Amino acid sequence: MAPRVLALGANGFIGAHVAAALSGAGWAVRAGARDLSVAARRAPGLAWVKADFADLAQADDWAPLLDGVDAVVNCVGVLQDGGRDSTAIAHVSGPRALIAACEALGVRRVVHLSAVGAEAEAGTAYGRSKAQGEGLFEASSLDWLILRPSLVIARPVFGGTGLIRALAAFPGFIPAPGGGQRFRPVAMDDLCAAVVAGLVPGAPVRRKLDVAGPQSLTLAEILVAYRGWLGLKPAPVVALPDVLAAPAIALGDLAGWLGWSSPLRSASIRQMNYGVEGDPDRWVSELGVRPRSLAAHLTRTPASVQDVWHARLWLVRPVAIVTLSLFWILTGLISFGPGREAALAVLAGGGYGASAPAVAGSGALLDVVLGLALLIRPWTARVAMLMALSTVGYLVAASISLPHYWLDPLGPWLKVLPMMALCLFVAATDERR
């Protein structure tokens, strides 16, 4: 019978790869995730269980998840507080309850994924809470192994790696916040190999190991490498001073609090500036993994047109969402305010008579509500589709009552069609990973 491992955060960027690697290595994987529906469809061969650290606050809460488990791999982590994410829950209280449960139920072996730079001195809630979580494992009686990866690179991207590709694909030049920060990129396959090696009999225990690649590269060098990988013409790297990067970072922080997971946030910048290289040698000698360089990884995973599209659209999508939201909100507000009389005159010309004020008011209200609702993260795709369908309704009614506007030289009806296309773009690109 195959040994069983509980892989936590198994629908995350790193966790999904780790769970697949464990399954490939012969483990029976019980995959824990906060949201199961999409994750279970993508990896139907795993035994999925709901594992939300916010709901697993006591050791007893973990008993069903740990039943029959031989080892645990914890890949849960969040960059910054906001939305459903809490650094205190993900990195401290959740692991504390997990450790207590493992100790009580005799599950000795735990591999915990932290991060290079997970130290209080980093000056972020992320660094402080990650360091606290590491301390909890170090103080426990478990046979723990803490792995602290540097920048993890893979064919799929999420968060910071998505931003790197987007910056690399920027037209004309490559913008780099700072640009001189140093990383030791480690391939996802090598990190997964380290996790698997950490669970074999005789693997090192009670160790804290950085998982870093063989090359020390600046952010600018990484961006240039990715631009070449995407097949784009070389372009100069332009280091963005703090004064220019600050507005984008402030917007990223705001987006994070609203539930939008943006990697361009103050926590990520401070962590990068603090240092995220790590020790490239110790984990290699203790776990026997020979990591590949960034160039070797890129050569092994050639880019496709899908990668180029994703890189180019990564920054276009938030612009499209904000533009679409403002279009609907401002249209509604104008109809309520300075454009009200003009709107009533148009409706009167279309034969709406006494019902014109009600039609104008309800239409304006719908515009504002949909424009605001588009900014709510879980609703975005559905609201975008509702916008497109509502616009079809608008055009049908307008074509019946005011058909001559199709031939108007300013094209009031024709100009609505590109907006519908933008709605479809926003809805079609909603998935985050």
Side-chain angles (χ1 to χ4, degrees), residues 375-411:
L375 300 176
I376 300 176
R377 178 65 189 90
W379 299 354
T380 302
R382 286 172 288 180
V383 171
M385 289 302 300
L386 185 56
M387 284 176 167
L389 293 174
S390 298
T391 304
V392 171
Y394 283 153
L395 287 179
V396 169
S399 297
I400 294 173
S401 59
L402 299 161
H404 56 281
Y405 277 104
W406 281 107
L407 302 178
D408 189 288
L410 295 179

Side-chain angles (χ1 to χ4, degrees), residues 157-182:
V157 291
F158 179 72
T161 50
L163 175 60
I164 285 174
R165 287 195 195 177
L167 295 176
F170 203 82
F173 67 98
I174 305 174
Q181 304 95 328
R182 302 198 75 88

